[in-house]
Amino acid sequence: METTLRGVGVSHGVAIGEVRHMGTAVLEPPAKQIPADEAEREQGRARQAVEAVAADLIARGNLAGGEAQHVLEAQAMMAQDPELIADVERRIAVGSTAERGVYDAFAAYRALLANAGEYLAGRVADLDDVRNRIVARLLGVPMPGVPDSDEPYVLIARDLAPADTALLDPTLVLGFVTEEGGPTSHSAILARALGVPAVVALPGAGEIAEGTVVAVDGSTGEIFVEPSQEKRAEMESASAARKAALSAVTGPGATSDGHKVPLLANVGGPGDVLAALEAGAEGVGLFRTEFLFLDDSKQAPSEEKQIAAYRAVLEAFPEGRVVVRVLDAGADKPLDFLTPADEPNPALGVRGLRSLLDHPDVLRTQLTALSRAAEGLPVYLEVMAPMVADRADAKAFADACREAGLQAKFGAMVEIPSAALRARSILQEVEFLSLGTNDLAQYTFAADRQVGAVSRLQDPWQPALLDLVALSAEAARAEGKSCGVCGEAASDPLLACVLTGLGVTSLSMGAASIPYVRATLAKHTLAQCERAASAARAADSADDARRAAQAVLSGE
């Protein structure tokens, strides 16, 4: 009998197939004591296992490339954390086996994160995965993970570790569903990069029996369990029509009446460039530079290394617009040489631009490297600062850009409500705004972007969030400047129309989403987008806002 479940759709497309469950690890080793003369040997085993797991994660990242590489390199750094390793060795010194020492040390660190109010809840899932990989290696047992199957399937898991998501085979994994996570979790971001339909934050998904046929709609978040033949035919027909519409629309982003909306790509490094070009991206709206700094948490990369990486991306978009975000460290991306280690709430502490202003040499080197990388290239370089709170922040960043001799536009990210409320003031110092809707939602609703339990507050359709977008866009229009969106909100085709109606001047997203957004914009006029935006803002909930906009755009 067909039943319908609803989670949060995070990656477009339809998947119909049999369920396979992710293997779960029960890897708690026995608590037994070892003789004192075996401690050194056990410590060596632990160190070897840690290094092997870190090397495996880095190798997986190199294979996956792009955003996945950035995530997995960060996870490898977690495995090699000196304080964790020291704790493991202390526990072995007083009688624990290597595997028990690892298990207990990671458990203690996990508790610290939880007691910090779960600001780093997304890192907890990563930490558990690292622990399981090290313990499995020490015990000599296989690491449970993606099921072994010769036939395509829909994967269901409590959550997916980055190491598993990064290497999913799209020819076998038709789509996936998780009980945890949110629209901006690592799993969601990597699913969009892979182009795999995905639904997250679906409580009870694990109770769907192995082998059950399900139909997954990654756009609406709906899961149809044992769908009827009629439902399957309806979804397959809709999916085919959607693909036909995508292939029929090409060229720059625009509404049906010719209002231009440049469609740009979010990239995490040179590895993401090819997908962006294949999708027809008109440039880069968010070039995340963290991938360079995660190779070594002890020191910043050299200016020459930065120049080479930046130039590889800039050269790919001749006469295109490339918007670079300077290093956004802190919170879930700590760097030993830059971010404080003892903050009670890292997401509310010294992160983003705040870290860079505390370390002006790091900022100066990055800005100089960007300036040199762009020399002689016919590219429109724009550089923006993350976590700008007010005009003083914007001025400090603009001054640093000028002092470095950077020939580019300087901008500010709007990720904090204060920046949206005072956008016109900030625009006295910079030339453009870019809305990071992931963090803007997190700070507007006090809802951690990695915690599934508060995912409804991370929904970019929340009217309060749309109000902040509108304030920013109105301020930019009044100042004759641009205001783009580079957060995950831009990847929702329907919401892209609403953002356009709110006055947003460009949209940046994962490459896989660009064709969907281009085709949807091309079906509607600017006036329709504006009416949809007004209807969404007049609603009282995210669901009502989505329905109201849909009604306007469908002519109901």
Side-chain angles (χ1 to χ4, degrees):
M1 178 178 175
E2 179 180 309
T3 57
T4 304
L5 306 173
R6 183 183 288 276
V8 179
V10 296
S11 185
H12 306 299
V14 169
I16 302 175
E18 291 188 1
V19 163
R20 295 287 182 272
H21 286 273
M22 188 81 166
T24 55
V26 182
L27 293 174
E28 181 174 357
K32 64 179 183 181
Q33 292 291 108
I34 60 168
D37 60 0
E38 293 184 13
E40 187 173 346
R41 179 178 66 84
E42 289 294 288
Q43 288 171 339
R45 286 182 63 228
R47 286 193 294 270
Q48 288 174 359
V50 165
E51 291 305 317
V53 166
D56 178 62
L57 290 169
I58 290 171
R60 286 170 178 256
N62 290 336
L63 283 173
E67 180 68 25
Q69 184 172 10
H70 156 69
V71 171
L72 290 172
E73 286 175 348
Q75 210 178 2
M77 285 172 53
M78 181 184 290
Q80 297 170 303
D81 183 277
E83 291 186 15
L84 261 175
I85 293 172
D87 191 20
V88 170
E89 294 188 344
R90 280 194 296 270
R91 292 172 188 275
I92 294 172
V94 295
S96 287
T97 61
E99 46 266 37
R100 189 70 205 190
V102 168
Y103 186 88
D104 289 340
F106 274 73
Y109 190 45
R110 191 185 199 283
L112 284 175
L113 295 185
N115 289 336
E118 291 195 297
Y119 282 100
L120 299 178
R123 302 294 283 179
V124 167
D126 295 358
L127 187 72
D128 288 347
D129 181 59
V130 171
R131 177 203 64 203
N132 286 344
R133 290 176 186 278
I134 297 171
V135 171
R137 182 170 288 272
L138 287 165
L139 291 174
V141 300
M143 176 63 198
V146 177
D148 185 17
S149 174
D150 295 328
E151 297 296 325
Y153 59 90
V154 173
L155 180 63
I156 290 185
R158 174 169 292 279
D159 202 354
L160 282 171
D164 294 315
T165 315
L167 296 184
L168 290 179
D169 183 350
T171 64
L172 284 177
V173 181
L174 301 171
F176 66 77
V177 181
T178 66
E179 295 191 51
E180 300 293 333
T184 59
S185 65
H186 283 157
S187 293
I189 292 169
L190 294 177
R192 285 188 285 272
L194 287 167
V196 175
V199 173
V200 301
L202 180 67
E207 297 171 14
I208 301 174
E210 186 90 0
T212 302
V213 175
V214 297
V216 178
D217 190 325
S219 299
T220 66
E222 291 174 306
I223 308 293
F224 301 95
V225 181
E226 298 287 9
S228 65
Q229 287 301 320
E230 292 79 8
K231 174 58 71 175
R232 294 177 67 162
E234 174 191 327
M235 294 183 71
E236 287 168 349
S237 175
S239 179
R242 190 179 298 163
K243 288 179 180 177
L246 293 181
S247 61
V249 181
T250 58
T255 59
S256 62
D257 56 341
H259 175 73
K260 294 185 184 301
V261 187
L263 302 181
L264 312 171
N266 293 344
V267 304
D272 289 338
V273 167
L274 180 59
L277 292 171
E278 289 177 345
E282 298 168 59
V284 173
L286 172 61
F287 180 8
R288 303 180 180 96
T289 58
E290 289 75 42
F291 75 101
L292 277 167
F293 292 79
L294 291 170
D295 285 344
D296 184 352
S297 68
K298 302 297 183 186
Q299 60 183 358
S302 69
E303 184 175 317
E304 295 304 321
K305 182 177 180 179
Q306 292 189 53
I307 291 169
Y310 301 150
R311 196 170 180 89
V313 174
L314 295 175
E315 285 177 335
F317 295 93
E319 300 187 9
R321 178 185 178 200
V322 176
V323 184
V324 180
R325 180 180 70 189
V326 294
L327 175 62
D328 184 15
D332 63 344
K333 292 171 285 190
L335 293 171
D336 292 347
F337 68 89
L338 199 67
T339 49
D342 55 353
E343 290 183 315
N345 291 333
L348 302 181
V350 181
R351 62 167 297 196
L353 179 62
R354 300 168 187 175
S355 294
L356 293 173
L357 294 178
D358 280 353
H359 297 81
D361 54 324
V362 175
L363 177 58
R364 186 182 310 109
T365 299
Q366 184 169 27
L367 295 174
T368 302
L370 283 166
S371 179
R372 291 180 58 194
E375 285 177 1
L377 295 180
V379 66
Y380 297 97
L381 176 63
E382 301 184 12
V383 182
M384 62 185 181
M387 300 298 293
V388 170
D390 56 15
R391 183 172 178 173
D393 278 352
K395 183 178 187 305
F397 178 65
D399 287 346
C401 289
R402 282 187 284 268
E403 287 169 10
L406 189 61
Q407 299 298 308
K409 285 187 176 181
F410 318 141
M413 292 196 70
V414 177
E415 302 168 284
I416 304 173
S418 64
L421 294 168
R422 300 290 294 171
R424 197 159 182 182
S425 171
I426 287 171
L427 284 165
Q428 305 309 304
E429 305 294 342
V430 295
E431 298 171 82
F432 69 94
L433 300 177
S434 184
L435 287 137
T437 52
N438 307 349
D439 270 326
L440 185 58
Q442 173 171 256
Y443 291 120
T444 298
F445 297 103
D448 192 304
R449 55 191 284 190
Q450 301 289 351
V451 178
V454 293
S455 62
R456 77 173 186 86
L457 297 172
Q458 270 291 327
D459 191 327
W461 281 93
Q462 285 285 355
L465 188 66
L466 299 180
D467 287 344
L468 293 175
V469 173
L471 280 174
S472 303
E474 288 164 6
R477 187 187 304 115
E479 293 296 325
K481 296 180 179 179
S482 63
C483 176
V485 168
C486 65
E488 294 302 318
S491 65
D492 179 336
L494 182 62
L495 186 50
C497 293
V498 167
L499 295 172
T500 299
L502 292 173
V504 166
T505 56
S506 66
L507 299 167
S508 188
M509 63 208 77
S513 297
I514 291 175
Y516 291 90
V517 172
R518 181 189 291 118
T520 305
L521 276 173
K523 293 191 295 187
H524 305 289
T525 66
L526 177 59
Q528 286 176 310
C529 293
E530 289 171 342
R531 288 197 297 273
S534 295
R537 288 184 69 189
D540 291 320
S541 72
D543 287 342
D544 287 346
R546 187 182 287 106
R547 281 191 288 267
Q550 180 68 66
V552 170
L553 294 175
S554 62
E556 295 176 10

